[in-house]
Amino acid sequence: MPSIYQLKPRFQNLLRPVVQRLFDNGTTANQVTLCAALISLLVGALVATFAHHAWVFLLIPLWMILRMALNAIDGMLAREFGQQSKLGAYLNELCDIIADSALILPFALLPGISLPAVLLVTLLALFSEYAGVMAPLVGVSRRYDGPMGKSDRAFALGVIATGVTFGLLQPLWINGLFLLIAALLVVTLVNRVRQGLKEASSQLPE
C-alpha cells in the first residue's frame, strides 16, 4: 500500500554528502540513533510541559523533519560504511518506539482531546512496529508496509501539530484525525503480517 516510506531512496540520495561528512568526522550510526531518541524525549517533554501554549506544538513538525533525516542517516552509516551491529539493531528499533511515544503522548494534554484516542494511537504504533520486527522471526525481511508506517505517522502528527499551533483544528477534528490514524495503524499491522506471510510462502520449495 502507498507509504511515504517509498520516497526513502530519493531522500537518502539528498543526504549522502552529509552522511559522508559525518563518517569522515568519526560519527557512528549508534551515536546518531541515540541522539535522535534523546532529542525526541526532550522535545516531547518540552511540549508536554508547555502544552497550554499552542506555539510549542510547532516543535513537533520541525523536529519530525530532522528526525526522519537522522533516521535515514543512521541507516546509511550502518549499511554503507560497515557499521552494522547487533547493538545497533536493538537501538534502532527500541529508540524508534520510545521516540514515537514521546512525541504522540503530549497531544493528550490539549484541552478537549480524547486521552483514549491518543493512547490507542500510541499503542497501535508500537504494535505495528512490532509486527514489522517479527518478520525476520519467520525468515523474511523486516516489514515496512504502510499505509501508516513511521514516516507516515511523522507526517500526520506534524500536520496535526501545525494545525494546533495556528488554531486551524478544533478538538473534535483532532480527535477524529487520531481515530483515523488508529484505523490506518490497524490496517498497517494487518498488512505487515499478511505481506510477511506472503513472502514466507513464496520461499517454500514447490
Side-chain angles (χ1 to χ4, degrees), residues 43 47 56-65 103 106-107 157-158 161:
V43 170
V47 175
V56 78
F57 280 85
L58 189 59
L59 291 175
I60 291 180
L62 294 177
W63 169 240
M64 285 297 191
I65 296 171
L103 296 170
F107 284 93
L157 292 172

Side-chain angles (χ1 to χ4, degrees), residues 73-94:
I73 287 170
D74 68 2
M76 294 170 71
L77 281 170
R79 289 189 305 273
E80 299 178 13
F81 293 92
Q83 296 183 3
Q84 289 179 315
S85 66
K86 291 180 173 61
L87 174 61
Y90 274 107
L91 289 176
N92 189 55
E93 299 296 347
L94 288 172

Side-chain angles (χ1 to χ4, degrees), residues 5 23 25 40 53 59-60 72 80 95 102 161 164 184 187 204:
Y5 182 79
F23 174 74
N25 290 337
S40 293
H53 296 294
L59 291 175
I60 291 180
E80 299 178 13
C95 287
V164 170
L184 291 173
V187 175
L204 294 175

Side-chain angles (χ1 to χ4, degrees), residues 114-161:
S114 169
L115 175 60
V118 175
L119 291 178
L120 184 62
V121 167
T122 305
L123 289 173
L124 286 172
L126 192 158
F127 297 158
S128 65
E129 291 308 309
Y130 190 65
V133 171
M134 286 183 67
L137 296 180
V138 296
V140 298
S141 59
R142 205 291 195 190
R143 302 305 310 180
Y144 295 98
D145 309 275
M148 191 51 66
K150 180 172 62 178
S151 301
D152 308 293
R153 290 196 301 275
F155 177 77
L157 292 172
V159 169
I160 294 174

